[in-house]
Amino acid sequence: MNPWKSLKGLRREIWVLCGTTLINRAGTMVLPFLVLYLTRHMGFTATQASLSLSVYGVGSLLSGPFSGLLCDRIGSLRVMKFSLALSGLLLLPFPWVRHYGSIIALVLVWSVVTEAFRPANLASLSDFALPEQRRAAFALNRLAINLGWGIGPAMGGFIAAVSFPALFEVNGAATLLSATVMALALKGSRATAGEESAGPPHPSEAVPAWRNGRYLAVLVGLIPSFLVFCQFMSTLPLFLVNHVGIPETSYGFIITVNTAVILLVEVPLNGAMSHWRHGPALALGAALVGVGFGCMAFAQGFLSAAAAVVVWTFGEMILLPSSAACVADFAPGKRRGEYMGLYQASFSLAMISGPWLGTRVLETWGGGALWGSTLVVGLFSAALLAVFASSVPAPAARPGEA
């Protein structure tokens, strides 16, 4: 039995989109090294450098809904092409900007342009995949993202050792390359929700995302699990290195565990779950995220920490593709970009607030309180999703969808 059989039958356009994502992510070097660039190369303080990441998060939050609305008006593929091209062009002059205020303004504009890619990418994948293929398509896209993240920051470390400004040139060139590949490979393709063939109207089609109570309830259920998940990039390294005493090198291998499990398991896992209803799938993913991070309270070394990482990685692999598929099934048709944009904004909101909240708990009450809280919040999210997502239409094909 082929565990990757869920990828069979995916349209060529989906593979091109995932290939574009891989090229783009493999060239992603600026964001992971932005703080180091601003402190070591430009001489700004750590507080000033950290503010740049907060500004990037604000830009991401603003970009999601705007990009989604734009997708519904001019097409998701066009938004992706413009996002990649403009993002690459904005990076090229970055090293010549010296004034702090100008750098912050450029970071804000760059983040709005760059993050416009995400809702458009999700909307395009939704348009090209059959409903029963969407979890597999989103899992394949995440595979491309994780492969790219494994390449880009690693290459960036070697480039930064030689020249920090070169990071911007290489990242910009890779982004422009991905835009070129996409423009040439998808020339003539059309993936805007408004161009779908006529068929029975979907019940959410006439309802704006901001006024769809069932959809907003699903987002409310997702946000707590997103808050838990984003501890991965904030409090988890602080806890394992400073409290448990794991060396920085060993922590790097723990991240490798997460990436390796995703690369080997996520696509087959989501293929096997392709016919699961959204409520149980999302509840299971959120619960595993909560339990996995909760188990960090018992971490005493590398092996126990790695075991906890495996648990929440399974939750991540279920929760993120399933939540994107849920939104796609909830709001197809002419408002798909709008719904995807609001979904992306909810994740950005968690990314902005989650690290701050987690760090406050860790510094004030310690690791036991932090990881106990993530367990409670994750299980609370699972309970909400089990109820709220049960009303989402099942992933059954409707006439005119492709």
Side-chain angles (χ1 to χ4, degrees):
M1 181 178 179
N2 181 7
W4 298 80
K5 67 178 183 178
S6 61
L7 301 182
K8 185 178 181 180
L10 291 181
R11 288 177 59 173
R12 168 185 166 274
E13 289 87 349
I14 293 176
W15 290 95
V16 171
L17 290 173
C18 293
T20 300
T21 298
L22 176 59
I23 297 172
N24 185 36
R25 292 300 178 184
T28 299
M29 303 172 187
V30 169
L31 190 58
F33 288 91
L34 185 59
V35 170
L36 290 177
Y37 167 77
L38 293 176
T39 53
R40 294 187 181 180
H41 184 77
M42 298 296 294
F44 294 115
T45 66
T47 301
Q48 288 175 311
S50 299
L51 179 61
S52 69
L53 293 182
S54 298
V55 169
Y56 187 94
V58 171
S60 174
L61 180 63
L62 296 174
S63 182
F66 172 74
S67 172
L69 291 172
L70 201 58
C71 288
D72 292 333
R73 282 156 178 76
I74 68 172
S76 54
L77 290 181
R78 289 179 180 173
V79 173
M80 291 174 68
K81 293 172 187 176
F82 288 142
S83 171
L84 291 172
L86 293 177
S87 177
L89 292 174
L90 283 170
L91 284 173
L92 297 180
F94 209 114
W96 283 272
V97 180
R98 316 300 294 179
H99 186 265
Y100 179 73
S102 300
I103 291 174
I104 291 298
L106 185 54
V107 167
L108 178 61
V109 174
W110 175 55
S111 67
V112 171
V113 171
T114 299
E115 294 300 321
F117 178 86
R118 296 177 187 266
N121 182 237
L122 294 175
S124 293
L125 290 169
S126 302
D127 287 336
F128 282 126
L130 294 169
E132 64 271 16
Q133 295 176 323
R134 284 173 180 157
R135 281 196 182 109
F138 291 130
L140 179 63
N141 195 56
R142 274 179 39 84
L143 178 65
I145 291 171
N146 281 280
L147 275 174
W149 269 107
I151 298 170
M155 291 177 55
F158 290 104
I159 294 173
V162 177
S163 169
F164 269 110
L167 290 172
F168 296 89
E169 311 306 325
V170 175
N171 197 157
T175 305
L176 291 173
L177 174 62
S178 62
T180 303
V181 169
M182 180 183 168
L184 294 176
L186 295 182
K187 187 177 181 179
S189 297
R190 306 175 71 184
T192 56
E195 292 162 356
E196 293 175 336
S197 303
H202 186 271
S204 297
E205 231 169 65
V207 183
W210 290 101
R211 295 176 56 190
N212 191 322
R214 292 192 305 160
Y215 173 66
L216 295 177
V218 171
L219 293 187
V220 168
L222 284 170
I223 288 175
S225 61
F226 290 163
L227 288 171
V228 173
F229 175 70
C230 70
Q231 303 308 311
F232 169 42
M233 294 173 285
S234 54
T235 55
L236 183 61
L238 292 175
F239 173 76
L240 292 179
V241 174
N242 298 335
H243 293 254
V244 180
I246 293 177
E248 287 86 347
T249 52
S250 296
Y251 174 73
F253 283 113
I254 287 179
I255 303 306
T256 302
V257 170
N258 168 261
T259 303
V261 173
I262 288 172
L263 296 182
L264 293 173
V265 178
E266 181 162 346
V267 170
L269 176 64
N270 280 273
M273 296 181 64
S274 61
H275 298 292
W276 278 45
R277 292 188 61 82
H278 293 302
L282 292 174
L284 176 60
L288 288 175
V289 167
V291 170
F293 278 97
C295 288
M296 282 296 171
F298 305 101
Q300 297 180 344
F302 177 84
L303 291 179
S304 54
V309 167
V310 170
V311 175
W312 63 254
T313 297
F314 269 86
E316 172 193 358
M317 293 188 299
I318 296 171
L319 179 68
L320 297 185
S322 294
S323 60
C326 176
V327 175
D329 288 335
F330 211 128
K334 296 181 179 180
R335 294 188 179 272
R336 182 169 290 148
E338 177 185 328
Y339 278 69
M340 284 297 183
L342 191 56
Y343 165 72
Q344 183 61 42
S346 69
F347 192 85
S348 298
L349 179 63
M351 290 296 294
I352 293 172
S353 56
W356 180 83
L357 289 171
T359 303
R360 291 285 295 175
V361 174
L362 179 63
E363 291 178 344
T364 305
W365 293 290
L370 171 65
W371 305 124
S373 298
T374 60
L375 173 63
V376 172
V377 172
L379 294 178
F380 175 66
S381 177
L384 292 179
L385 290 169
V387 176
F388 295 155
S390 63
S391 63
V392 181
R398 287 185 296 273
E401 286 218 337

